[in-house]
Amino acid sequence: KLVTGVQTCALPICAASAQGSNTGWPQRAVKIVIPLGPGSGVDITARLFADRLTAMWGKPIVVENRPGGDGFVAITSFIAARDDHTLLFTPTATFTAHPFQHEKLPYDVKELIPIARVATTLVPIGVPASSYIKSVKDLVEAARKNPGSLNWTGTVGALDFMFAAFLKNESVKAERVAYRDGVQALNDLAEARIQAYVAALAIVRPQVQAGKVRLIAMMNRRSEEHTSELQSLAYLVCRL
């Protein structure tokens, strides 16, 4: 149920306490903590909302990037703040997958209180445009032909979890490369230093438009009109 339930990659804002619902909030500057670096899909969305909320609330909003540690750096710093003017802006995929990926967590999930769903993110699988891989079938066959030759990366959390599950289901051995910076991962994909990247469409779109990255599938259960030609991997992952 986890795998199928988080494929929309909803972006909730989570508050440190329920005090944010009091009349007159916010009373001072608000900090938004995000678990990914500048230029990531979450970063782009958070800054768009920050601009609108600043105008709405009449208070400054600061977006703070805290990448690294599989999302733990941002989450633990957010909880430690104990401040009802500090919000966590993160894909639900970041923390819903943690109990399945880690035997012990550095935080208590009960300390996260989701207060709003912000957006649904389109998440494609991209490969270097210079490669001969033009489909998921090509990707799987290439990895099977040369075990261990496929290097990939993805946005931390459930996206990593789902893509790894897909590879396992297809009996494919591949190496995940960890990145703190999603933009660097995209540059490495464009230069074919890695062979697959699972991330928000907002991140990969510039390199797709530049002709350096090819999209071969969507991680979402359903695609939007402008990605309707791409196959969904939902049915493959759900076979596990």
Side-chain angles (χ1 to χ4, degrees):
K1 291 183 180 178
L2 166 72
V3 172
T4 58
V6 297
Q7 289 187 27
T8 55
C9 301
L11 302 175
I13 301 178
C14 302
S17 74
Q19 296 177 14
S21 61
N22 292 342
T23 302
W25 189 95
Q27 299 174 346
R28 51 185 169 82
V30 175
K31 178 190 292 185
I32 293 179
V33 179
I34 61 176
L36 299 174
S40 63
V42 178
D43 178 71
I44 294 170
T45 306
R47 293 181 188 280
L48 289 172
F49 272 86
D51 290 342
R52 297 294 182 90
L53 291 176
T54 295
M56 181 186 300
W57 291 340
K59 302 292 182 182
I61 297 178
V62 178
V63 177
E64 181 177 281
N65 300 86
R66 297 297 298 270
D70 202 15
F72 290 155
V73 173
I75 293 174
T76 54
S77 67
F78 158 70
I79 292 175
R82 303 291 179 185
D83 177 18
D84 66 356
H85 281 64
T86 298
L87 306 176
L88 178 67
F89 194 104
T90 178
T92 50
T94 301
F95 56 86
T96 53
H98 279 166
F100 298 88
Q101 295 176 305
H102 304 278
E103 185 174 346
K104 186 177 181 180
L105 300 180
Y107 67 92
D108 184 349
V109 294
K110 295 180 181 178
E111 296 191 77
L112 297 174
I113 306 173
I115 60 174
R117 174 173 176 172
V118 178
T120 296
T121 303
L122 294 174
V123 183
I125 300 173
V127 299
S130 60
S131 76
Y132 63 87
I133 297 173
K134 294 181 172 59
S135 66
V136 172
K137 181 179 179 180
D138 289 344
L139 181 70
V140 171
E141 289 181 350
R144 285 177 176 166
K145 185 177 180 181
N146 299 291
S149 63
L150 175 66
N151 295 318
W152 66 278
T153 193
T155 304
V156 297
L159 297 182
D160 273 355
F161 184 73
M162 288 188 291
F163 192 67
F166 163 70
L167 295 175
K168 179 181 178 181
N169 187 61
E170 296 300 317
S171 300
V172 169
K173 292 184 178 180
E175 185 70 25
R176 178 185 177 274
V177 181
Y179 284 88
R180 283 176 54 90
D181 182 357
V183 175
Q184 182 58 53
L186 178 61
N187 291 336
D188 283 353
L189 179 72
E191 297 300 324
R193 287 188 282 268
I194 57 175
Q195 287 71 53
Y197 185 27
V198 183
L201 181 61
I203 301 176
V204 301
R205 190 199 300 270
Q207 293 287 20
V208 172
Q209 294 173 335
K212 294 185 176 182
V213 168
R214 176 185 301 121
L215 304 183
I216 61 171
M218 297 296 297
M219 294 296 288
N220 302 69
R221 182 183 293 272
R222 292 181 299 179
S223 296
E224 298 296 327
E225 182 178 351
H226 54 285
T227 58
S228 59
E229 75 281 3
L230 296 174
Q231 179 187 19
S232 170
L233 285 187
Y235 78 97
L236 291 172
V237 177
C238 291
R239 286 164 49 194
L240 293 177

